[in-house]
Amino acid sequence: MTRQPPPPHALRLGFDRAFGRFLANESANIRSGVSERNLCGHLGFELRVEANNPSWAGYYVDLEYNRNQGGQVKTILDERAVVVSITCDLIIHSRGQIPSCDNLVAIEMKKASHPAEAKEADRRRLRALTKTSFDGVWSADGETLPEHVCGYLLGLLIDLDGPNGRVSIEEYRCGELFGVEQLSF
C-alpha cells in the first residue's frame, strides 16, 4: 500500500492533543511517582483516540513493541554503526503493513529522577530512529522494510518532573533535535 503519511506537524498536533488529555487525567499519578510503564499505558490510550483520525488509518499505537514484520527483534545502528536491539516505550507504526511509511512516531518517557545516562541513551535512540538512512547503508525507501529500524517522522523524549509539576518534551526529526518544549501541570 503506497500512500502519503501525515506530515510531522500534524503528528505533533495529534500528540499535543493526546498529551494534554494525559496530563489532565494523570497529573496526580505523575506527582505521586507512578511507574513509567503505567504512565506510558495511559498516554498510549490517549494516542489511540487520535489514531482514529482517518489520516492515521492503518497505524497502531503500541507499548514496548520490539518486533519487525516476520518476528525479528527491532534493531538500530547507533552512531558508531553498532547494531543495537531496541524497545521504545511507545510507537505509532503500521506493523510493517505500509512499507511506504511504516514508522510515524517513537516516544521515550523518563522521570526527571532517572540518571542522565539513561536519558542520553534515549536521545541517541531517537536520533537513530528518526534518520532516513545511515550513510546510505540502510534506508526507508518506501518499497521494502529496512534491515534496521529507521524513518520515524517524529521522535519525542518526555521528561516528567512529578514533584515539581513540570515536563520537558524534546522533539527529534531527521536524526536531529528539532526543538524543546517546557510545560507545567
Side-chain angles (χ1 to χ4, degrees):
M1 174 190 307
T2 301
R3 65 181 246 205
Q4 291 292 357
H9 70 276
L11 293 169
R12 180 59 198 256
L13 286 173
F15 168 80
D16 288 345
R17 285 189 299 268
F19 197 70
R21 291 189 306 272
F22 166 77
L23 286 178
N25 295 330
E26 300 302 324
S27 61
N29 276 339
I30 297 167
R31 288 181 183 276
S32 74
V34 167
S35 75
E36 288 170 26
R37 283 190 186 138
N38 178 283
L39 296 171
C40 283
H42 288 286
L43 178 56
F45 173 80
E46 297 299 343
L47 286 166
R48 283 185 191 98
V49 172
E50 293 300 317
N52 287 326
N53 180 322
S55 68
W56 293 25
Y59 290 97
Y60 303 88
V61 177
D62 282 319
L63 180 71
E64 296 196 9
Y65 195 90
N66 69 341
R67 299 289 179 201
N68 276 328
Q69 190 173 13
Q72 300 296 325
V73 172
K74 284 188 177 224
T75 60
I76 59 170
L77 288 177
D78 70 8
E79 64 276 0
R80 296 176 312 244
V82 174
V83 176
V84 178
S85 298
I86 63 155
T87 302
C88 283
D89 290 334
L90 277 166
I91 59 175
I92 302 171
H93 64 144
S94 76
R95 296 180 182 164
Q97 296 171 8
I98 306 173
S100 61
C101 189
D102 182 36
N103 300 317
L104 297 182
V105 182
I107 299 172
E108 295 289 355
M109 184 183 288
K110 286 285 184 269
K111 291 183 181 179
S113 59
H114 270 78
E117 303 85 45
K119 292 176 193 172
E120 190 53 39
D122 283 348
R123 289 180 180 106
R124 285 192 303 272
R125 186 177 312 111
L126 289 169
R127 283 192 296 270
L129 288 169
T130 59
K131 286 184 177 183
T132 55
S133 73
F134 186 85
D135 294 338
V137 174
W138 49 269
S139 69
D141 62 12
E143 294 178 20
T144 57
L145 294 171
E147 177 181 356
H148 304 290
V149 182
C150 63
Y152 280 86
L153 300 177
L154 186 63
L156 300 167
L157 174 60
I158 302 167
D159 190 359
L160 296 169
D161 183 353
N164 295 306
R166 293 192 305 252
V167 62
S168 172
I169 302 171
E170 295 178 14
E171 181 176 334
Y172 293 84
R173 295 185 190 181
C174 300
E176 300 293 331
L177 178 63
F178 185 78
V180 179
E181 182 179 8
Q182 307 289 332
L183 303 169
S184 296
F185 61 92

